[in-house]
Amino acid sequence: PAIAPGLPLAAYSDDQLDEMAMWIRSDGVDRSFNELIDELRDALGITRRGFQSDAVLGNVVRRTRPAAPDEQ
């Protein structure tokens, strides 16, 4: 996606964060919840870790995960 890395996390819209998470998942590699957060953090160039960034990225991963067959 056309998203500039290295900005503060608050500079990204929810749509941009969701798009980035879906782009990471598009390679078909099976990643754990935490691995996907780490990939998202790396792709966005976020170097600072903390409760707020972990919460935001965790929410992105949760809301963009594919629905399980029984959730559809």
Side-chain angles (χ1 to χ4, degrees):
I3 298 172
L7 300 175
L9 186 55
Y12 300 105
S13 70
D14 285 347
D15 288 342
Q16 288 175 310
L17 294 172
D18 292 354
E19 190 176 331
M20 183 62 77
M22 290 184 289
W23 176 75
I24 291 169
R25 282 191 165 113
S26 72
D27 65 5
V29 174
D30 190 26
R31 295 176 180 87
S32 71
F33 180 81
N34 288 330
E35 288 171 334
L36 191 50
I37 289 175
D38 289 342
E39 287 279 339
L40 190 54
R41 186 185 310 280
D42 290 345
L44 293 169
I46 297 171
T47 56
R48 301 186 94 182
R49 296 185 79 102
F51 176 78
Q52 185 174 6
S53 64
D54 289 347
V56 169
L57 296 176
N59 286 334
V60 171
V61 170
R62 274 190 285 282
R63 73 174 172 249
T64 60
R65 75 171 185 242
D70 60 334
E71 293 178 2
Q72 294 181 3

